[in-house]
Amino acid sequence: MTRIPHETSGEPNPFRALTLDRLRCRTSMKWRTYPDDVLPLWVAEMDVPLAEPIVRAVTDALALGDTGYPAGTGYAEALAAFADKRWGWDGLAVERTAIVPDVMLGVVEMLKLVTGPGDPVVVNSPVYPPFYQFVEHMDRQVVEAPLGADLRIDLDTLDETFRRAVTGTRRAAFLLCSPHNPTGTVHTAEELSAVAALADRHGVRVVADEIHAPLTAEGVEFVPYLSVPGGEDGLSLMSASKAWNLAGLKAALAIAGPAAAADLARLPEEVSHGPSHLGVIAHTAALRDGTAWLDALLTGLDDNRRLLANLLAEHLPTITYRPGEATYLAWLDCHALDEDPADVFLRRGRVALNSGLPFGTGGAGHVRLNLATSPELIAEGVRRMAAALG
């Protein structure tokens, strides 16, 4: 497959565009959960202005009064073109897609298609906390197959977990996080092919959350699960939400492999009523016209990963950080502390990070830090963390 990596776009670094005072005018979760003396480096929102093509598309729609119900396949067509150019994947068939409200609600709907109440859903812990919350709320059983010490999928553990999950002729699914949140691991084609082979051997269906797919580091290649041998009966959820900071503009796509088309066809029609029409417009504009902005963002993220690594090495050498291959999230090992490090950093340093505990097995002693902000705020965050331990 021929891929086009992120390029020098000529656009300015979006992480340098907004001041702290300007960011504090925002009313979203990141900026309203904690008091103003707390520096928020936690939930997955980026401290950037929107890409101009998105602003223009949404503004034009509002001026036209185009605020009705979503329709058409423009979003899927834009994602297919993006996938072809960016990842060299031409297998995203528009006729095997369905619009869903967002990725996690799409995950729920896909799991409903391939499992029943009480069935097990395997996850690679530590993993995005809503995997536990949403799966348990829909009356499925979360079963952990922890990552290896190298923070990659442990295939032996996964094999044994699949074997146990299907005991008693139960249906089972594997909820794959790709790229992985919180570690930033990007699964290779070989790893994903091995996952597909294990799933086929045990009769486990794979549902892949690929929301962070556009956010890879320089020189790292994202591989769509549905593109690997054996992935034909998989189901994937994709969105422009994370890469273009569109969480408040709801829209995502469910994508079926060729052998899963019949499953996706059983998706209830009313699910398509959940996405926002403005969200569809925004996500479509991002994928079609926002790639130069994305490339500038990716360059900024590469810089921020290096900056964080250097600052931690200088000021907090007891914290272990392996820069991720994707996402804008940093997974920090703080086992030198005797208590939940997120609580320590919040109470003593007034910096908000995600506690590792809700990420499941392997999360204790860790925090997740959001890198999608200005270099100055990253430096301030590390300064506060160091002061908290001083």
PDB file of all heavy atoms in Angstrom, residues 9-17 292-293 296-297:
ATOM      1  N   SER A   9       3.169  21.584   5.991  1.00  0.00           N
ATOM      2  CA  SER A   9       1.989  22.165   5.365  1.00  0.00           C
ATOM      3  C   SER A   9       2.110  23.661   5.113  1.00  0.00           C
ATOM      4  O   SER A   9       1.366  24.222   4.316  1.00  0.00           O
ATOM      5  CB  SER A   9       0.777  21.934   6.277  1.00  0.00           C
ATOM      6  OG  SER A   9       0.914  22.686   7.470  1.00  0.00           O
ATOM      7  N   GLY A  10       3.024  24.323   5.814  1.00  0.00           N
ATOM      8  CA  GLY A  10       3.097  25.773   5.695  1.00  0.00           C
ATOM      9  C   GLY A  10       2.138  26.488   6.624  1.00  0.00           C
ATOM     10  O   GLY A  10       2.202  27.711   6.765  1.00  0.00           O
ATOM     11  N   GLU A  11       1.233  25.742   7.243  1.00  0.00           N
ATOM     12  CA  GLU A  11       0.303  26.353   8.198  1.00  0.00           C
ATOM     13  C   GLU A  11       1.000  26.523   9.547  1.00  0.00           C
ATOM     14  O   GLU A  11       1.900  25.754   9.905  1.00  0.00           O
ATOM     15  CB  GLU A  11      -0.949  25.486   8.357  1.00  0.00           C
ATOM     16  CG  GLU A  11      -1.820  25.453   7.122  1.00  0.00           C
ATOM     17  CD  GLU A  11      -3.306  25.381   7.464  1.00  0.00           C
ATOM     18  OE1 GLU A  11      -3.657  25.423   8.659  1.00  0.00           O
ATOM     19  OE2 GLU A  11      -4.101  25.295   6.525  1.00  0.00           O
ATOM     20  N   PRO A  12       0.570  27.507  10.348  1.00  0.00           N
ATOM     21  CA  PRO A  12       1.194  27.722  11.658  1.00  0.00           C
ATOM     22  C   PRO A  12       0.824  26.614  12.631  1.00  0.00           C
ATOM     23  O   PRO A  12      -0.194  25.937  12.475  1.00  0.00           O
ATOM     24  CB  PRO A  12       0.613  29.073  12.098  1.00  0.00           C
ATOM     25  CG  PRO A  12      -0.681  29.194  11.363  1.00  0.00           C
ATOM     26  CD  PRO A  12      -0.460  28.518  10.041  1.00  0.00           C
ATOM     27  N   ASN A  13       1.670  26.441  13.639  1.00  0.00           N
ATOM     28  CA  ASN A  13       1.409  25.464  14.691  1.00  0.00           C
ATOM     29  C   ASN A  13       0.150  25.866  15.455  1.00  0.00           C
ATOM     30  O   ASN A  13       0.126  26.896  16.128  1.00  0.00           O
ATOM     31  CB  ASN A  13       2.616  25.427  15.642  1.00  0.00           C
ATOM     32  CG  ASN A  13       2.473  24.384  16.729  1.00  0.00           C
ATOM     33  OD1 ASN A  13       1.387  23.855  16.978  1.00  0.00           O
ATOM     34  ND2 ASN A  13       3.569  24.097  17.407  1.00  0.00           N
ATOM     35  N   PRO A  14      -0.930  25.078  15.385  1.00  0.00           N
ATOM     36  CA  PRO A  14      -2.176  25.484  16.045  1.00  0.00           C
ATOM     37  C   PRO A  14      -2.078  25.502  17.556  1.00  0.00           C
ATOM     38  O   PRO A  14      -2.911  26.134  18.219  1.00  0.00           O
ATOM     39  CB  PRO A  14      -3.194  24.436  15.561  1.00  0.00           C
ATOM     40  CG  PRO A  14      -2.393  23.274  15.114  1.00  0.00           C
ATOM     41  CD  PRO A  14      -1.095  23.811  14.631  1.00  0.00           C
ATOM     42  N   PHE A  15      -1.063  24.833  18.127  1.00  0.00           N
ATOM     43  CA  PHE A  15      -0.911  24.846  19.577  1.00  0.00           C
ATOM     44  C   PHE A  15      -0.367  26.170  20.104  1.00  0.00           C
ATOM     45  O   PHE A  15      -0.362  26.403  21.307  1.00  0.00           O
ATOM     46  CB  PHE A  15       0.007  23.702  20.026  1.00  0.00           C
ATOM     47  CG  PHE A  15      -0.567  22.344  19.757  1.00  0.00           C
ATOM     48  CD1 PHE A  15       0.084  21.459  18.915  1.00  0.00           C
ATOM     49  CD2 PHE A  15      -1.769  21.950  20.317  1.00  0.00           C
ATOM     50  CE1 PHE A  15      -0.446  20.203  18.655  1.00  0.00           C
ATOM     51  CE2 PHE A  15      -2.312  20.708  20.056  1.00  0.00           C
ATOM     52  CZ  PHE A  15      -1.650  19.832  19.225  1.00  0.00           C
ATOM     53  N   ARG A  16       0.086  27.024  19.204  1.00  0.00           N
ATOM     54  CA  ARG A  16       0.626  28.322  19.613  1.00  0.00           C
ATOM     55  C   ARG A  16      -0.359  29.464  19.352  1.00  0.00           C
ATOM     56  O   ARG A  16      -0.002  30.626  19.481  1.00  0.00           O
ATOM     57  CB  ARG A  16       1.943  28.602  18.896  1.00  0.00           C
ATOM     58  CG  ARG A  16       3.062  27.630  19.281  1.00  0.00           C
ATOM     59  CD  ARG A  16       4.373  27.996  18.615  1.00  0.00           C
ATOM     60  NE  ARG A  16       5.473  27.136  19.024  1.00  0.00           N
ATOM     61  CZ  ARG A  16       6.223  27.306  20.114  1.00  0.00           C
ATOM     62  NH1 ARG A  16       5.970  28.351  20.907  1.00  0.00           N
ATOM     63  NH2 ARG A  16       7.207  26.478  20.408  1.00  0.00           N
ATOM     64  N   ALA A  17      -1.591  29.120  19.009  1.00  0.00           N
ATOM     65  CA  ALA A  17      -2.527  30.150  18.562  1.00  0.00           C
ATOM     66  C   ALA A  17      -3.357  30.773  19.673  1.00  0.00           C
ATOM     67  O   ALA A  17      -3.851  31.896  19.520  1.00  0.00           O
ATOM     68  CB  ALA A  17      -3.470  29.561  17.510  1.00  0.00           C
ATOM     69  N   ALA A 292      -4.069  19.966   5.557  1.00  0.00           N
ATOM     70  CA  ALA A 292      -2.913  20.840   5.788  1.00  0.00           C
ATOM     71  C   ALA A 292      -2.868  21.268   7.252  1.00  0.00           C
ATOM     72  O   ALA A 292      -1.799  21.290   7.885  1.00  0.00           O
ATOM     73  CB  ALA A 292      -2.980  22.056   4.871  1.00  0.00           C
ATOM     74  N   TRP A 293      -4.026  21.602   7.796  1.00  0.00           N
ATOM     75  CA  TRP A 293      -4.107  21.942   9.224  1.00  0.00           C
ATOM     76  C   TRP A 293      -3.687  20.747  10.066  1.00  0.00           C
ATOM     77  O   TRP A 293      -2.939  20.896  11.046  1.00  0.00           O
ATOM     78  CB  TRP A 293      -5.537  22.367   9.548  1.00  0.00           C
ATOM     79  CG  TRP A 293      -5.774  22.787  10.963  1.00  0.00           C
ATOM     80  CD1 TRP A 293      -5.707  24.056  11.470  1.00  0.00           C
ATOM     81  CD2 TRP A 293      -6.134  21.931  12.070  1.00  0.00           C
ATOM     82  NE1 TRP A 293      -5.997  24.043  12.819  1.00  0.00           N
ATOM     83  CE2 TRP A 293      -6.255  22.760  13.213  1.00  0.00           C
ATOM     84  CE3 TRP A 293      -6.348  20.564  12.200  1.00  0.00           C
ATOM     85  CZ2 TRP A 293      -6.598  22.257  14.479  1.00  0.00           C
ATOM     86  CZ3 TRP A 293      -6.674  20.053  13.450  1.00  0.00           C
ATOM     87  CH2 TRP A 293      -6.797  20.890  14.565  1.00  0.00           C
ATOM     88  N   ALA A 296       0.088  20.348  10.212  1.00  0.00           N
ATOM     89  CA  ALA A 296       0.701  21.298  11.142  1.00  0.00           C
ATOM     90  C   ALA A 296       0.499  20.844  12.582  1.00  0.00           C
ATOM     91  O   ALA A 296       1.404  20.960  13.424  1.00  0.00           O
ATOM     92  CB  ALA A 296       0.108  22.690  10.931  1.00  0.00           C
ATOM     93  N   LEU A 297      -0.673  20.318  12.875  1.00  0.00           N
ATOM     94  CA  LEU A 297      -0.956  19.798  14.205  1.00  0.00           C
ATOM     95  C   LEU A 297      -0.032  18.630  14.541  1.00  0.00           C
ATOM     96  O   LEU A 297       0.529  18.552  15.641  1.00  0.00           O
ATOM     97  CB  LEU A 297      -2.409  19.353  14.288  1.00  0.00           C
ATOM     98  CG  LEU A 297      -2.842  18.782  15.644  1.00  0.00           C
ATOM     99  CD1 LEU A 297      -3.673  19.812  16.404  1.00  0.00           C
ATOM    100  CD2 LEU A 297      -3.639  17.506  15.497  1.00  0.00           C
TER     101      LEU A 297
END
